[in-house]
Amino acid sequence: MTIVPINDLSRWDNSERDRIDGRIQAVVKSGHFMLGSNTKELESQLSRRLDGMNVMCVGNGTDALAVSILGLGLKAGDKIATVANAGGYATGAILRLGCIPILIDVDPDTTQMAPISLSAAIVQHPDIKAVIVTHLYGLMADITAISTITKEKKILLIEDCAQAIGASTDRREAGSWGDASTFSFYPTKNLGCLGDGGAVAFRDAVHYASGRRVAQYGWSERYVISDMNGFNSRLDEIQASVLLERIQTLQSNNDKRRAIVRQYADALPASHKMIWRDDASYVGHLAIVVGPSRAHIQQVLDAHEVGHGIHYPLTDNSQPAWQEVFVDASVPNCDQLATQIVTIPCFPSMTDAEIAQVCTALAAL
Ligand SMILES: Cc1ncc(COP(=O)(O)O)c(C=O)c1O
């Protein structure tokens, strides 16, 4: 038996690698490395998926969050609600821009933002200006309920789709429900490039224009800085060309990921559960097991040579850098889940033998 890895990006489909090589060579030959036709084409393909939203590519998913906040016109001191169990990416962006994060608890069954907790937070902080909802692990949050709340309360809605590209609810893709949405193309993501990459989508053309300025030095035109918050965040043409190749297999790879987790769910004893749904609202970014004893799950996985991890071991309110920010935070479900969750292997190039090895381990829990 060999160890089943959590992920393995060195496993290439040779024909895909040849096609990607061809695309990269074409960019190299063109001499056009930034803001060219590949990036434009990727933006328009993403826009078509996202109900015609205005899409701009940026350097990574973290910048995408910052650009979304600034593009929507949010200012230092504005309150932005987000969950505490999603790796701290949204909270980090909120804090970096001088905004105030309000932590929302999650539904313990889905691990996603609980609409009821969002409503309670809005009662407590009627001046919340925006919500960042992360579709965590590739599972869509209850976006119908959350978008109903934000519309009714006239609060801006940002969807962090870094882990959920291609997921949909009622045939509407993650990222097309809010005022803005953000994506990461980090190599391990469901749509990954060969380095860093990201994108932001804005519903409103004025917000989009503002986001464009922010991500290009604050320029309104070449060398004219009209936005105080400008920095530089762009996707390069080589990465865009890789993504144009890979976006063609996004759906089939998402289906493979979900099929793997379906086998895990079938193998698991009733004492444990997978965080997933057997429909298009889950795209299997991460396979998460929850059970009464994490140590037991880890022991059994080790005994069966199955790799594992934790996403994420610390909630935002437990991060050392943010201790003073969150003295009053109350997110008991996030805190509890952080002690229970275990991530197990899930990637499209897993072999049947590897999937069977994981299933045997799960059946032994
Ligand atoms: C939910 C979520 N948001 C944001 C990010 C940040 O993306 P990036 O690593 O491209 O900056 C990640 C990536 O790790 C993520 O998982």
Side-chain angles (χ1 to χ4, degrees):
M1 229 170 18
T2 47
I3 292 186
V4 184
I6 280 254
N7 203 341
D8 184 355
L9 298 175
S10 71
R11 291 184 195 177
W12 281 89
D13 164 338
N14 285 338
S15 73
E16 186 201 38
R17 187 166 56 189
D18 289 346
R19 289 194 303 276
I20 286 178
D21 273 347
R23 284 180 184 263
I24 292 174
Q25 288 314 315
V27 174
V28 170
K29 221 167 134 193
S30 77
H32 202 154
F33 301 119
M34 303 300 289
L35 305 173
S37 57
N38 288 282
T39 308
K40 265 207 186 96
E41 172 59 21
L42 180 63
E43 289 171 347
S44 60
Q45 286 197 25
L46 290 170
S47 170
R48 281 202 291 280
R49 303 179 73 107
L50 300 173
D51 190 30
M53 286 172 81
N54 304 281
V55 178
M56 54 181 285
C57 290
V58 293
N60 56 66
T62 305
D63 285 354
L65 284 161
V67 171
S68 73
I69 293 169
L70 292 168
L72 289 176
L74 293 157
K75 302 264 180 308
D78 284 346
K79 290 184 180 166
I80 304 180
T82 194
V83 290
N85 66 334
Y89 304 102
T91 300
I94 294 166
L95 286 168
R96 186 149 54 93
L97 299 175
C99 299
I100 300 169
I102 303 295
L103 293 184
I104 307 295
D105 209 358
V106 297
D107 178 322
D109 290 325
T110 64
T111 72
Q112 312 294 317
M113 180 180 281
I116 195 169
S117 305
L118 175 62
S119 293
I122 295 169
V123 171
Q124 208 188 335
H125 303 273
D127 52 347
I128 286 178
K129 292 270 174 32
V131 176
I132 301 179
V133 59
T134 304
H135 300 298
L136 192 62
Y137 309 139
L139 181 66
M140 281 186 77
D142 186 349
I143 197 67
T144 317
I146 290 168
S147 60
T148 302
I149 295 169
T150 53
K151 271 194 197 117
E152 194 187 302
K153 301 288 179 190
K154 300 197 169 23
I155 291 172
L156 293 163
L157 176 59
I158 301 171
E159 297 175 77
D160 181 350
C161 308
Q163 301 191 3
I165 189 163
S168 61
T169 295
D170 297 339
R171 296 179 183 273
R172 258 174 89 179
E173 282 208 17
S176 66
W177 290 76
D179 299 285
S181 53
T182 65
F183 298 84
S184 164
F185 306 127
Y186 184 76
T188 57
K189 297 296 192 248
N190 289 32
L191 179 60
C193 57
L194 306 182
D196 275 317
V200 191
F202 289 102
R203 173 67 57 198
D204 185 303
V206 172
H207 294 149
Y208 167 74
S210 171
R212 277 270 183 211
R213 284 196 297 277
V214 165
Q216 174 106 320
Y217 319 115
W219 287 354
S220 50
E221 57 188 285
R222 192 177 279 256
Y223 310 131
V224 179
I225 299 168
S226 21
D227 194 310
M228 279 287 281
N229 298 302
F231 53 98
N232 171 27
S233 188
R234 297 182 291 227
L235 184 74
D236 65 71
E237 280 287 287
I238 287 185
Q239 300 303 345
S241 77
V242 172
L243 292 164
L244 282 175
E245 185 59 45
R246 289 195 159 162
I247 202 167
Q248 299 175 48
T249 48
L250 172 64
Q251 167 89 44
S252 60
N253 281 333
N254 282 350
D255 291 344
K256 277 187 200 165
R257 288 170 178 272
R258 191 185 313 108
I260 291 169
V261 177
R262 184 181 303 125
Q263 293 179 67
Y264 294 168
D266 288 346
L268 264 187
S271 51
H272 291 69
K273 66 177 184 200
M274 297 299 303
I275 304 301
W276 81 304
R277 253 182 248 120
D278 197 2
D279 61 39
S281 69
Y282 176 65
V283 291
H285 176 61
L286 292 173
I288 307 290
V289 190
V290 182
S293 161
R294 174 152 68 203
H296 174 66
I297 300 174
Q298 289 166 326
Q299 258 166 27
V300 172
L301 292 171
D302 285 339
H304 288 79
E305 306 219 306
V306 171
H308 53 85
I310 302 174
H311 293 84
Y312 295 93
L314 292 181
T315 55
D316 295 3
N317 46 310
S318 310
Q319 291 291 355
W322 299 338
Q323 286 301 300
E324 285 173 22
V325 181
F326 294 126
V327 268
D328 297 326
S330 171
V331 282
N333 295 332
C334 291
D335 293 332
Q336 170 77 16
L337 281 163
T339 67
Q340 293 185 301
I341 44 177
V342 180
T343 308
I344 56 176
C346 181
F347 52 101
S349 59
M350 281 182 84
T351 64
D352 289 345
E354 287 175 326
I355 297 167
Q357 189 171 324
V358 179
C359 287
T360 305
L362 296 178
L365 284 172

